[in-house]
Amino acid sequence: MKRMNIFLKNNIFILLFISVIIAKDSPINLHSYWAQSSKAIIMDESNQLLLGAAAIGALSATQIDMKVRDYIQSNKVLSESISHFGDEMGSNWGHWILWSSIIISSKIKKDSNKKFISKIQYSTLAMVSNGLITVGMKHAFGRERPNGSCCDSFPSGHTSHSFTMASIASELYGKNIGLISYGLATLVAVSRMNDNKHYLSDIIFGAGLGTAVGRAFTKNYQKFDETNIQIGLSPQMALKISIPIN
């Protein structure tokens, strides 16, 4: 219970209420989309290679974690303001910027209400799923942070969250925006080491995990979008969602 209280105190909870007007069978589609996408995180062959490479990279990086930490803390590769920007992008700002961009771009493109809702739900479900997986792994590994605080260093939640958002942005807006988003996600990852909150191995696996989750939901979003199946809730139902980040 004490660990849960610490978890609740130190993580961000975002409440997103969505009122939806869609087809009668939408709950089935929602469950199907979430189930298929979650399964694809580990069953998709390319994701298996990605997660395997991230795991090997993180395991290898544990051999130099302390050296990298000492170097970064001695040289401070990012200024305080840039590091703060990276920290905020990976926690408080990133998802709101993404959701705002969906609202604005949908207005400009004159998307239908169903198309707009499906984009919001696709992005939200991907981020929530990543948050749940990340928090579960943090509790399972219980790794102490480099600054000595307990005990949720591995993997980096800011990093996995940012790379999930980058995958979503790349799908919705194309490769150019995707490259910028991945660049910002990398900045977030470096800021976590710069602030002495994570080791190199934490951010390596966090980046791989976030990308894998984002890609899994992206592939299934494309399938659902192509078949014109809406991923939503029953009429007028509100969806309350919490995204734990740290």
Side-chain angles (χ1 to χ4, degrees):
M1 182 60 69
K2 183 178 180 181
R3 289 191 65 185
M4 181 57 66
N5 289 335
I6 295 174
F7 164 77
L8 292 173
K9 181 179 179 181
N10 293 301
N11 287 271
I12 298 172
F13 291 86
I14 300 169
L15 301 181
L16 179 64
F17 294 91
I18 307 175
S19 293
V20 208
I21 302 176
I22 49 178
K24 293 180 180 179
D25 62 342
S26 57
I28 297 175
N29 292 331
L30 174 65
H31 297 157
S32 176
Y33 173 69
W34 201 337
Q36 290 179 31
S37 300
S38 299
K39 182 179 179 181
I41 295 172
I42 57 174
M43 297 305 294
D44 180 80
E45 185 175 345
S46 59
N47 271 355
Q48 290 176 351
L49 293 173
L50 175 60
L51 290 172
I56 293 172
L59 182 61
S60 300
T62 59
Q63 304 301 311
I64 58 171
D65 271 343
M66 298 304 294
K67 291 182 179 179
V68 173
R69 186 202 68 172
D70 291 344
Y71 175 83
I72 291 178
Q73 292 309 303
S74 297
N75 296 277
K76 288 296 182 182
V77 296
L78 298 177
S79 66
E80 184 176 345
S81 59
I82 293 177
S83 189
H84 177 71
F85 172 79
D87 178 60
E88 292 296 321
M89 280 298 296
S91 57
N92 296 327
W93 298 345
H95 35 266
W96 290 116
I97 292 174
L98 178 60
W99 284 326
S100 298
S101 74
I102 292 174
I103 294 172
I104 294 171
S105 65
S106 294
K107 289 289 185 181
I108 294 174
K109 295 168 65 176
K110 297 182 179 179
D111 287 339
S112 67
N113 186 58
K114 287 184 178 182
K115 181 73 171 179
F116 164 67
I117 291 298
S118 70
K119 289 180 180 179
I120 291 290
Q121 291 173 332
Y122 147 61
S123 59
T124 302
L125 289 175
M127 289 187 284
V128 168
S129 297
N130 174 73
L132 292 173
I133 295 170
T134 301
V135 169
M137 293 187 68
K138 284 177 177 288
H139 281 272
F141 283 92
R143 188 184 195 188
E144 186 178 275
R145 292 181 183 272
N147 63 8
S149 63
C150 185
C151 290
D152 53 0
S153 188
F154 183 87
S156 168
H158 281 66
T159 303
S160 66
H161 186 55
S162 298
F163 275 84
T164 298
M165 291 189 290
S167 297
I168 296 168
S170 182
E171 161 63 17
L172 294 178
Y173 306 120
K175 292 183 178 179
N176 290 336
I177 297 297
L179 287 174
I180 295 173
S181 300
Y182 279 112
L184 286 172
T186 302
L187 174 62
V188 171
V190 175
S191 75
R192 300 304 286 164
M193 291 193 296
N194 194 74
D195 293 342
N196 203 27
K197 296 291 181 65
H198 284 288
Y199 295 104
L200 176 62
S201 55
D202 299 335
I203 68 168
I204 288 176
F205 192 80
L209 174 61
T211 303
V213 172
R215 291 179 74 253
F217 277 80
T218 290
K219 287 186 176 182
N220 279 289
Y221 171 74
Q222 292 169 342
K223 293 178 183 177
F224 275 69
D225 191 45
E226 287 170 1
T227 54
N228 199 32
I229 298 175
Q230 297 303 318
I231 47 174
L233 299 174
S234 55
Q236 305 302 321
M237 183 178 293
L239 175 65
K240 179 180 180 180
I241 293 196
S242 301
I243 304 179
I245 307 164
N246 200 13

